[in-house]
Structure formats: C-alpha cells, structure tokens
Amino acid sequence: LDVPVHNAAVSTCAKQGQWLRALGILAEMERRCLEPNAITHIAVVSACEKNQQWQRGLGLLSDMRHHSLTPSVVSYSAAICACQRGQRWQLTLGVLTEMAYYRVVPNVVSFNALIKACGTGKQWQWALGFLSEMQTCALAPNR
C-alpha cells in the first residue's frame, strides 16, 4: 500500500473522529518506511481536534517540521481548533505566534477558533482584537 491509500484511510478516520486509529495508521506508515506527507499530518491533527486531543495535535504539528514538511494554514488552523476545543486559549496564541514567525496568514477558520477560544477563556480583549484583525484582512466571521 502506498501513501495516498494510507492518507485516504487517515482522512476517513478523521471524519469519523477516530483519532487513535488515525495515529495508528501514521505509526504503521512510519514502520513501513512510507513517508507521511502534509496531507497525512493534517488529517491526523484534524482527528485529534475532533476529540479534544490538543496535546497530540500540537505534537503532530511539531512532527511535521521534523519530517521536513512545512505546516500550512490548514495544519495550523486544525491545531488552533484542537486547542480551542480543549479550552486552551493560551495555546491558541502560541500557535498564532508560530504562524506569524513562519509567515503563514490566518484564514477564517483560524480566526473563528481564536475568537471562540478567547471568548471561552473570558479573554474578550483578545477576542475583539482578533475580530478587528479579521475585518482588516477582509474576512467575514462564520455565524
């Protein structure tokens, strides 16, 4: 089996919220000396995000760099969403800082998760700041 087949399996797991199975497929790929790509990592981070496994999501984001993969706005947004679902608003700011360092521009998903995380954390000043920045970037928040 090749990488695209494994990616399809990981994506299916992500859609079903099967984060442990997604991690298992990732581990199997590494055992078989298959190089997981950005799609693989994004899907596993998404599976973790759906199950409030923010620690694993952040770890996978870090692993991407160890595999010489460049995280995209989708990767970062999935990590922000994982932190938001885990009620870790402070960590969302750390992910945003890393995005800025690597010059990855946040998208609607990123901003919505940041605003929601800050709102849940009762950090209304940050939430309003992100809303303003979102409008400056000509992005409309989701309802």
Side-chain angles (χ1 to χ4, degrees), residues 22-129:
L23 285 171
I25 293 168
L26 179 63
E28 178 185 327
M29 289 177 74
E30 292 171 350
R31 277 193 305 276
R32 292 183 180 202
C33 297
L34 292 173
E35 280 294 320
N37 58 24
I39 294 167
T40 314
H41 282 85
I42 290 167
V44 179
V45 172
S46 293
C48 292
E49 175 255 321
K50 288 179 176 59
N51 289 277
Q52 299 181 8
Q53 297 296 316
W54 56 270
Q55 304 98 322
R56 294 186 192 269
L58 291 177
L60 288 163
L61 192 65
S62 176
D63 286 348
M64 287 183 76
R65 294 219 178 271
H66 295 297
H67 285 67
S68 300
L69 298 171
T70 304
S72 67
V73 67
V74 176
S75 315
Y76 283 115
S77 294
I80 289 171
C81 287
C83 293
Q84 178 262 311
R85 284 190 182 218
Q87 298 184 357
R88 300 290 191 267
W89 71 269
Q90 303 95 329
L91 295 176
T92 64
L93 301 181
V95 175
L96 181 66
T97 300
E98 184 175 324
M99 288 176 77
Y101 179 81
Y102 289 109
R103 299 174 197 236
V104 177
V105 179
N107 63 10
V108 172
V109 175
S110 311
F111 277 117
N112 282 336
L114 286 161
I115 291 167
K116 191 170 183 178
C118 292
T120 302
K122 298 183 179 17
Q123 301 299 313
W124 59 269
Q125 305 93 329
W126 282 102
L128 290 177

Side-chain angles (χ1 to χ4, degrees), residues 1-21:
L1 297 173
D2 60 358
V3 174
V5 172
H6 283 82
N7 284 350
V10 170
S11 293
T12 300
C13 291
K15 289 175 186 166
Q16 298 299 316
Q18 298 292 322
W19 66 277
L20 280 173
R21 286 189 180 169

